[in-house]
Amino acid sequence: MIPKHFSCLSTGDYWPYLTSFKNAPSPLSQGLRHVWGHRFPGSALYPTPTGRHALWYFLETLEFQGGDEVLIAAYNFYIIVRILLQKGLKPVFVDVDPETLCMDPADLTNKVSKKSRLVVVTHMFGNPANMVEIETICQQNDLWLFEDCAHAVGTLCNQEQVGQSGDGALFSFGIQKLVNSFGGGMLVLSENLAPKFELPPHSIPKLASFSDTFMRALTSILMTPSLYGITLHQLQKAINRFEDRLPKIKAIIDPAKDNPEYRFYNLERAPYKSFMTEMHRLQLARLNENINRRREIVMTIKHELQDIADISVLYEDKYGHSNYSYFGIYVPDPHALSHFLAQNGIDSCSQEYYDCASLEQFSSFYSKCENAHYASHHILRLPSYPCLRDSEVEKIFKTIKLWFTNHVC
Ligand SMILES: *Cc1c(COP(=O)(O)O)cnc(C)c1O
């Protein structure tokens, strides 16, 4: 089975984690600056337990009033919207550019009101959003700007790492992300906000902290493609059967995509640990090489599929340089094609994100976002990880071609 995601970690990448049990931990924030600092010359960096913690802390540094509005792209990870609601903020959904899946500045302008305070931009799939226009709109309307860079390590706008256009940004180092340190996140703050901010202490019981990180390390090992067919896939099948008994593992491998019960709980995750920074250092050393390989894979598959009229593709580099961390194409029926790919040994995702504006749980904030709605029903996410072999890339496009030969619309 070709998984839809693999961090391409080698044995050496696990070393910082394995040796962290005997070495004394090093000071945290200093380490982050050392490894990440040159990408963020003018910003302050803080280690956080997860990416969503970074958003939570960011929201806590600002002063809001009841009814304040936050503009956010409708095609999105529902958790971000839930966090806004939990903070008493009102989400206002903005449509996306169908070529990048990121916030459309024209619709942002339409939706700005007197109550707007903050814009949350996601560099969806690692594709840079149109930051030039979004920044201008924020300045003209006196809005704070926060960037969700969970997919966007190595994504560039104006040749610069994204995450430094506005007041803050989040990064995530979970097991499904481009840089994987078995959890952990990073808050980026602008020079103006940093003096007002103090990183809250975070501690949970030792055993809980150990097992939270350990489960993620273990899952990463199980996601190695050579093991994938026999382990994770079967594990996932078994887990789906015993969902109620194994909610924790299930939540790591296959997190919920639309859970109205979700509440952010500060202490449910292990703190950021210093071995994580060392893992980042190892993975960042080959970031450019990996992004180039991802681009090559995406370009090859797009090129091979260009004659299929029923497929349309994204324009990932429209506003900068994408890192291609996720690779999506538009197809008429992503669920049917995903099922066919699975039968042929290729994992894919037919429902990466939803149009949050149309979700039942956010129905009181409904607004019509046609492009987000279309993406939610038609985007199919395919594997694009850098250690995919050429023969596997070929298998992916050939299997898709086969499907369309048999299903001419
Ligand atoms: C993963 C992710 C996050 C949050 O990251 P965590 O570390 O899981 O909290 C935020 N936004 C998007 C788009 C993500 O994919």
Side-chain angles (χ1 to χ4, degrees), residues 50-53 76-77 80 122 124 148 150-151 170 172-174 177 184 269 326 353:
T50 65
R52 66 197 72 171
H53 278 80
N76 219 317
F77 187 34
I80 301 299
T122 308
M124 192 47 91
D148 179 342
H151 303 166
L170 74 79
S172 165
F173 311 116
K177 303 301 203 276
R269 290 291 301 275
Y326 289 14
Y353 295 108

Side-chain angles (χ1 to χ4, degrees), residues 121-179:
V121 178
T122 308
H123 300 286
M124 192 47 91
F125 287 21
N127 304 335
N130 183 348
M131 293 314 291
V132 174
E133 288 193 31
I134 292 171
E135 247 187 282
T136 310
I137 297 166
C138 288
Q139 279 161 7
Q140 285 167 349
N141 295 280
D142 201 15
L143 304 173
W144 284 307
L145 173 57
F146 185 83
E147 292 171 79
D148 179 342
C149 304
H151 303 166
V153 173
T155 296
L156 309 179
C157 265
N158 291 321
Q159 308 300 324
E160 263 179 38
Q161 166 66 54
V162 295
Q164 27 200 348
S165 297
D167 303 286
L170 74 79
F171 285 81
S172 165
F173 311 116
I175 60 163
Q176 312 262 12
K177 303 301 203 276
L178 203 75
V179 170

Side-chain angles (χ1 to χ4, degrees), residues 81-138:
V81 185
R82 287 233 59 95
I83 287 179
L84 298 176
L85 286 174
Q86 202 175 328
K87 279 278 179 215
L89 298 164
K90 182 182 171 203
V92 174
F93 292 111
V94 179
D95 207 357
V96 295
D97 178 335
E99 290 188 313
T100 62
L101 300 175
C102 301
M103 180 180 277
D104 173 14
D107 198 42
L108 175 61
T109 304
N110 293 337
K111 300 221 165 123
V112 170
S113 82
K114 282 200 185 107
K115 296 213 146 182
S116 309
R117 290 290 171 274
L118 168 68
V119 174
V120 174
V121 178
T122 308
H123 300 286
M124 192 47 91
F125 287 21
N127 304 335
N130 183 348
M131 293 314 291
V132 174
E133 288 193 31
I134 292 171
E135 247 187 282
T136 310
I137 297 166
C138 288

Side-chain angles (χ1 to χ4, degrees), residues 30 98 143 161 210 218 223 326 382:
Q30 224 176 321
L143 304 173
Q161 166 66 54
F210 166 82
L218 184 67
M223 284 169 79
Y326 289 14
L382 298 169

Side-chain angles (χ1 to χ4, degrees), residues 72-356:
I72 181 164
Y75 185 72
N76 219 317
F77 187 34
Y78 83 99
I79 296 252
I80 301 299
V81 185
R82 287 233 59 95
I83 287 179
L84 298 176
L85 286 174
Q86 202 175 328
K87 279 278 179 215
L89 298 164
K90 182 182 171 203
V92 174
F93 292 111
V94 179
D95 207 357
V96 295
D97 178 335
E99 290 188 313
T100 62
L101 300 175
C102 301
M103 180 180 277
D104 173 14
D107 198 42
L108 175 61
T109 304
N110 293 337
K111 300 221 165 123
V112 170
S113 82
K114 282 200 185 107
K115 296 213 146 182
S116 309
R117 290 290 171 274
L118 168 68
V119 174
V120 174
V121 178
T122 308
H123 300 286
M124 192 47 91
F125 287 21
N127 304 335
N130 183 348
M131 293 314 291
V132 174
E133 288 193 31
I134 292 171
E135 247 187 282
T136 310
I137 297 166
C138 288
Q139 279 161 7
Q140 285 167 349
N141 295 280
D142 201 15
L143 304 173
W144 284 307
L145 173 57
F146 185 83
E147 292 171 79
D148 179 342
C149 304
H151 303 166
V153 173
T155 296
L156 309 179
C157 265
N158 291 321
Q159 308 300 324
E160 263 179 38
Q161 166 66 54
V162 295
Q164 27 200 348
S165 297
D167 303 286
L170 74 79
F171 285 81
S172 165
F173 311 116
I175 60 163
Q176 312 262 12
K177 303 301 203 276
L178 203 75
V179 170
N180 169 11
S181 56
F182 317 141
M186 180 166 77
L187 171 64
V188 178
L189 281 185
S190 69
E191 270 167 342
N192 334 338
L193 274 185
K196 289 187 210 153
F197 180 74
E198 204 172 326
L199 190 67
H202 181 96
S203 106
I204 67 169
K206 253 187 160 167
L207 183 63
S209 170
F210 166 82
S211 88
D212 183 57
T213 311
F214 176 75
M215 289 309 294
R216 289 180 162 74
L218 184 67
T219 314
S220 295
I221 296 172
L222 292 172
M223 284 169 79
T224 303
S226 49
L227 299 171
Y228 190 71
I230 44 165
T231 56
L232 187 67
H233 200 61
Q234 278 168 6
L235 193 68
Q236 200 161 5
K237 273 191 192 161
I239 286 166
N240 285 341
R241 228 170 287 155
F242 298 107
E243 194 171 333
D244 42 334
R245 264 180 264 170
L246 292 171
K248 278 215 168 128
I249 303 185
K250 158 121 177 110
I252 294 174
I253 299 178
D254 190 15
K257 299 216 159 141
D258 171 25
N259 173 13
E261 312 281 284
Y262 175 84
R263 295 290 178 281
F264 174 80
Y265 173 55
N266 191 10
L267 297 181
E268 114 195 299
R269 290 291 301 275
Y272 188 100
K273 297 172 183 171
S274 54
F275 79 84
M276 294 175 175
T277 313
E278 190 51 24
M279 287 189 75
H280 301 165
R281 193 181 63 76
L282 294 172
Q283 292 171 59
L284 289 174
R286 50 176 201 269
L287 180 68
N288 286 343
E289 187 188 325
N290 281 347
I291 291 176
N292 289 341
R293 174 62 182 156
R294 284 178 177 275
R295 178 179 293 117
E296 182 181 54
I297 292 167
V298 168
M299 291 308 159
T300 304
I301 298 178
K302 278 165 77 168
H303 179 78
E304 289 289 339
L305 301 179
Q306 67 185 352
D307 294 332
I308 302 173
D310 280 334
I311 295 181
S312 29
V313 294
L314 303 179
Y315 180 8
E316 292 86 352
D317 290 337
K318 191 171 180 184
Y319 299 109
H321 290 279
S322 179
N323 66 1
Y324 298 88
S325 69
Y326 289 14
F327 171 35
I329 59 174
Y330 289 100
V331 297
D333 184 348
H335 300 290
L337 177 50
S338 181
H339 185 70
F340 180 72
L341 289 169
Q343 286 174 332
N344 287 278
I346 301 162
D347 190 21
S348 62
C349 181
S350 53
Q351 190 71 69
E352 196 62 52
Y353 295 108
Y354 284 99
D355 166 23
C356 290

